[in-house]
């Protein structure tokens, strides 16, 4: 399940990167200056941190009531029960880095199409149902391209960035799925009954996943993000980890 989820996330990331660049290149042919405002992405990369948590719980609680055969005026009954519970948690974390150039796949994704053939190489194009949602990566990239186009921000490739200038895009996505069920068979006898109320056996599974995307310029050598982008990435992971706890980020 985790392998399918991670593969689907990377495929969704590649889909968003490709469509953002291809859309800008298509528009550049109709612009007077013929300029492609997404070209700065060629020297950018993205770091992805995933926290995949699965919690499973099971409870068994049989009970019974015994009432001896006696006159109708008797009110004596004996009831009892026993219960047991088990909870297991599986936590997997991944942190991967991709240059944007490695995610750009113009032959795989096409404008006007929402198909993601890379989600599952075995032919299941839907991939993991946990990520059959809009991760909002495409609007994130388009927003940065648009502000460069409108002149509200300069092209990173054509300006001398200040040492502490913020030139990073981040996105955090949380996915939650809960499944539960129970079963309670009941037996009635002359002198009593088994499992007259409550649940004999119940089980449940909760999946809580958080994914942090950080886009930023490549450091020298192109094998990692710049220190500023790395700092943003770590900070977003800390904020994501504190969400839902008593300590607010």
């Amino acid at each position: 399940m985790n392998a399918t989820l991670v593969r689907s996330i990377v495929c969704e990331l590649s889909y968003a990167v490709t469509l953002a660049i291809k859309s800008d290149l298509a528009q550049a042919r109709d612009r007077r200056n013929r300029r492609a405002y997404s070209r700065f992405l060629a020297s950018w990369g993205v770091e992805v941190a995933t926290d995949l948590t699965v919690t499973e719980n099971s409870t068994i609680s049989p009970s019974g009531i015994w009432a001896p055969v006696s006159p109708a005026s008797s009110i004596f009954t004996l009831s009892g029960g026993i219960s047991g519970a088990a909870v297991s948690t599986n936590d997997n974390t991944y942190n991967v880095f991709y240059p944007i150039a490695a995610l750009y796949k113009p032959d795989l994704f096409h404008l006007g199409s929402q198909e993601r053939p890379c989600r599952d190489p075995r032919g299941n194009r839907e991939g993991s149902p946990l990520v059959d949602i809009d991760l909002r990566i495409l609007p994130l990239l388009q927003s940065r391209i648009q502000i460069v186009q409108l002149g509200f921000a300069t092209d990173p490739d054509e300006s001398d960035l200040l040492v502490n200038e913020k030139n990073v895009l981040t996105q955090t996505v949380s996915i939650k799925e809960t499944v539960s069920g129970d079963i309670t068979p009941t037996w009635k006898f002359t002198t009593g009954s088994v499992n007259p109320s409550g649940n004999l056996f119940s089980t449940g599974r909760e999946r809580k996943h958080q994914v942090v995307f950080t886009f930023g310029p490549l450091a020298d050598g192109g094998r990692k993000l710049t220190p500023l982008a790395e700092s943003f990435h770590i900070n977003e992971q800390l904020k994501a980890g504190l969400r839902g706890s008593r300590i607010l980020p």
Side-chain angles (χ1 to χ4, degrees), residues 99-188:
I100 295 297
L103 295 170
Y104 180 61
K105 301 182 184 299
D107 296 332
L108 193 61
F109 305 106
H110 305 284
L111 289 176
S113 174
Q114 295 183 353
E115 291 188 358
R116 277 82 151 168
C118 65
R119 278 195 173 183
D120 192 333
R122 293 170 297 184
N124 179 15
R125 295 189 176 185
E126 295 302 319
S128 171
L130 294 180
V131 292
D132 265 343
I133 58 175
D134 190 354
L135 299 178
R136 308 299 295 171
I137 300 300
L138 182 57
L140 179 70
L141 295 175
Q142 290 176 330
S143 66
R144 184 62 175 88
I145 296 172
Q146 288 171 355
I147 61 175
V148 173
Q149 178 181 355
L150 295 173
F152 296 133
T154 56
D155 188 331
D157 291 341
E158 296 186 354
S159 62
D160 295 328
L161 297 179
L162 299 178
V163 176
N164 294 318
E165 183 174 349
K166 297 179 181 179
N167 197 26
V168 182
L169 299 175
T170 63
Q171 179 87 322
T172 301
V173 179
S174 298
I175 306 170
K176 184 176 181 179
E177 180 187 64
T178 302
V179 179
S180 62
D182 61 77
I183 183 172
T184 308
T186 301
W187 295 270
K188 293 184 178 181

